[in-house]
Amino acid sequence: NAGVTQTPKFQVLKTGQSMTLQCAQDMNHNSMYWYRQDPGMGLRLIYYSASEGTTDKGEVPNGYNVSRLNKREFSLRLESAAPSQTSVYFCASSQGGTSPLHFGNGTRLTVT
Amino acid sequence: AQSVAQPEDQVNVAEGNPLTVKCTYSVSGNPYLFWYVQYPNRGLQFLLKYITGDNLVKGSYGFEAEFNKSQTSFHLKKPSALVSDSALYFCAVRASDTGRRALTFGSGTRLQVQP
């Protein structure tokens, strides 16, 4: 029972490089989310997708793009990485409504 | 706008003693409130939620939380702490009456339970 799977687990980028963080869930959830976690700041929402075919900006969307590829997969792209994007990125999914979020184990990204 | 405050960066408690992790919130209208726990190098795990009804909600691992509307608080409690409860705890909120379905999280409180 995999739940929410994120790849890669770790990544180091140079400033200006691009990359895509992958997320897949096997719980048939409608909603998917991307958060970043920084020390002392908790989790901040980057983008979310309430259902397949829709995406919406969160609190900190600048510098990121997302694709809801299908119901299972929700990817996060950094087009031109900056040191300020050094963070731990978490993908989450939920059935929606008042259902709790299920989180992946995170991707630790360092931008030098 | 919705927000969550966790006023303590760290809470220290001795094993066997009761613990409280504080959370206050701000939303327009009625809140949906959640507690999550994070162990090292892992994602967050759901502990409990308040949606409506009884102000005292019970969750996983013996944790409970009390919703207080007048104080806009949702403190996490456990009668007897275990060393294995040591982790990072997050409170989260969203308003019940908006279309925005994403949670807003607090900054987290590190719980340290000493043997």
Side-chain angles (χ1 to χ4, degrees):
Chain A
N1 188 3
V4 178
T5 303
Q6 291 184 238
T7 55
K9 290 184 170 55
F10 302 93
Q11 185 70 50
V12 179
L13 292 177
K14 292 188 166 63
T15 297
Q17 288 184 316
S18 62
M19 79 161 295
T20 300
L21 281 65
Q22 307 286 356
C23 175
Q25 52 95 4
D26 63 1
M27 295 171 283
N28 201 35
H29 285 166
N30 290 319
S31 303
M32 297 186 74
Y33 309 81
W34 277 105
Y35 285 89
R36 59 178 287 175
Q37 183 178 21
D38 301 292
M41 302 189 74
L43 277 77
R44 292 180 292 168
L45 182 67
I46 305 171
Y47 272 93
Y48 69 104
S49 171
S51 61
E52 188 178 356
T54 69
T55 60
D56 287 284
K57 294 179 180 179
E59 303 169 59
V60 289
N62 291 344
Y64 305 95
N65 285 301
V66 290
S67 296
R68 183 75 183 265
L69 304 169
N70 49 53
K71 192 170 185 180
R72 290 188 63 247
E73 298 173 286
F74 188 40
S75 63
L76 179 72
R77 183 160 179 84
L78 286 69
E79 290 291 351
S80 178
S84 60
Q85 294 178 305
T86 293
S87 188
V88 181
Y89 291 84
F90 287 100
C91 178
S93 70
S94 81
Q95 194 51 38
T98 61
S99 299
L101 301 182
H102 295 255
F103 284 83
N105 286 331
T107 295
R108 189 174 295 273
L109 175 66
T110 302
V111 183
T112 61
Chain B
Q2 54 194 36
S3 64
V4 175
Q6 293 182 243
E8 301 153 317
D9 289 336
Q10 180 155 327
V11 169
N12 298 308
V13 64
E15 188 172 32
N17 282 0
L19 69 88
T20 299
V21 182
K22 295 180 181 176
C23 170
T24 58
Y25 66 89
S26 174
V27 290
S28 299
N30 294 318
Y32 293 152
L33 292 153
F34 299 77
W35 275 102
Y36 289 82
V37 59
Q38 185 180 32
Y39 298 102
N41 300 313
R42 301 297 299 273
L44 280 67
Q45 297 175 32
F46 169 72
L47 276 180
L48 51 80
K49 66 181 178 181
Y50 171 81
I51 303 304
T52 188
D54 194 347
N55 289 343
L56 184 65
V57 294
K58 295 186 184 297
S60 307
Y61 313 121
F63 283 94
E64 57 189 30
E66 186 166 13
F67 171 62
N68 187 316
K69 188 170 185 178
S70 63
Q71 296 186 6
T72 61
S73 67
F74 189 55
H75 300 332
L76 181 70
K77 302 182 180 187
K78 187 174 183 182
S80 179
L82 299 172
V83 172
S84 57
D85 293 330
S86 298
L88 191 55
Y89 290 81
F90 289 94
C91 182
V93 69
R94 76 169 177 89
S96 64
D97 57 354
T98 70
R100 181 182 176 86
R101 296 172 186 170
L103 292 177
T104 295
F105 286 83
S107 56
T109 298
R110 187 165 300 283
L111 174 66
Q112 194 70 38
V113 181
Q114 284 113 11

